[in-house]
Amino acid sequence: MTSRNAIGAHVSVAGGLATGGLRYAADVGAEMAQVFVTNPRTWALNDGDPAEDAKLAASGLPVFAHAPFLVNFGSPTPATLDNSVAVIRHTLRRGAQIGALGVVVHTGSAVSQPRDDAMRQIHEHLLPLLEEIPEGGPDLLLEPMAGQGQMLCATVQDLGPYLEALEHHPKVGVCLDTCHAYAAGHDLAAPGGVAATLDALHATAPGRLKLIHANDSKDVCGSKKDRHENIGAGHIGAEPFAEIMRHPVTAGVPLCIETPGKADKDRENIALLKKLRESATSG
């Protein structure tokens, strides 16, 4: 695997998963892409278009799929838990069909039940899905949240109990969202903050970082607010993203923006991250 960080975006798939997605990626200069393979705000399952799936899989572009936002394996509501199982099973299958390297899932919330009960559900309901992933299929990437409410995973240290609940399964990886980490209290903008965060991640989940959601933050460190900002326009600032790409833990790990705005802003954010990558590799 190359040590270079591919830089890309969550892409629009209007016009077809591959036809629209690859067109958008090329338009904004993306070297990787993240997509939804089903509606992110409902439980509806979309079987997709086999021709589009094959085209995306054969494109050579590194692709990740993002699971719907409703998924919550820590929920005390039986219907939510059952739907989460069905949606993640479906998204992992669809991820394999499009050649995705990983499927990103939010780590969820205990909502109104004890944390231990929620973690038990992770073990009982999410672990079996990992066993179903076919050889060569995507990893399941855990994305810690900003720490609002009864979130099960916000700081990188919170990944420890989560990985334990999943028996440190080899198909479990991590997606680190910089805005979420900053909101949860990891001060990426402070001197040494990036190194401290990534060192802690390596200590907790060695070798499991597979994707970085590169987002600046509209809010201050520790705010527990999940509000993304364009790179360099928020409280994190631009330079920490160069530091992220300079750190050995991130070698070869793609950066994917999920920043405000449409294609013009995506193009600007990707161009800025590419400049920061140059400074990271030459510095």
Side-chain angles (χ1 to χ4, degrees), residues 145-148 179-184 216-228:
M145 303 306 291
Q148 63 276 41
C179 175
H180 296 177
Y182 189 70
D216 211 325
S217 174
K218 290 182 183 292
D219 299 289
V220 297
C221 181
S223 67
K224 298 186 178 181
K225 292 181 179 178
D226 180 12
R227 299 201 305 155
H228 299 186

Side-chain angles (χ1 to χ4, degrees), residues 79-248:
T80 298
L81 185 56
D82 290 345
N83 282 325
S84 295
V85 170
V87 164
I88 291 301
R89 177 178 281 124
H90 175 81
T91 308
L92 285 166
R93 180 175 62 82
R94 294 286 292 114
Q97 289 167 345
I98 66 172
L101 299 173
V103 167
V104 179
V105 62
H106 290 170
T107 41
S109 168
V111 191
S112 59
Q113 70 173 331
R115 186 183 185 89
D116 286 350
D117 291 347
M119 295 307 292
R120 193 174 303 113
Q121 289 179 188
I122 302 295
H123 177 78
E124 292 175 0
H125 297 277
L126 186 52
L127 181 58
L129 297 179
L130 299 172
E131 290 294 326
E132 296 177 12
I133 298 174
E135 187 175 350
D139 290 332
L140 185 71
L141 307 186
L142 306 175
E143 180 180 2
M145 303 306 291
Q148 63 276 41
Q150 301 301 312
M151 290 295 167
L152 297 173
C153 201
T155 67
V156 298
Q157 290 87 351
D158 289 339
L159 286 162
Y162 213 101
L163 288 168
E164 190 173 330
L166 294 174
E167 299 182 2
H168 298 272
H169 196 283
K171 293 301 287 182
V172 178
V174 172
C175 171
L176 182 70
D177 185 307
T178 54
C179 175
H180 296 177
Y182 189 70
H186 293 291
D187 195 350
L188 302 175
V194 165
T197 302
L198 293 174
D199 289 348
L201 175 61
H202 181 68
T204 305
R208 293 188 186 267
L209 181 63
K210 305 295 183 181
L211 181 65
I212 295 167
H213 282 168
N215 303 304
D216 211 325
S217 174
K218 290 182 183 292
D219 299 289
V220 297
C221 181
S223 67
K224 298 186 178 181
K225 292 181 179 178
D226 180 12
R227 299 201 305 155
H228 299 186
E229 182 55 283
N230 291 296
I231 305 298
H235 287 273
I236 297 174
E239 181 55 32
F241 291 92
E243 293 180 45
I244 285 169
M245 288 184 274
R246 200 176 291 129
H247 196 283

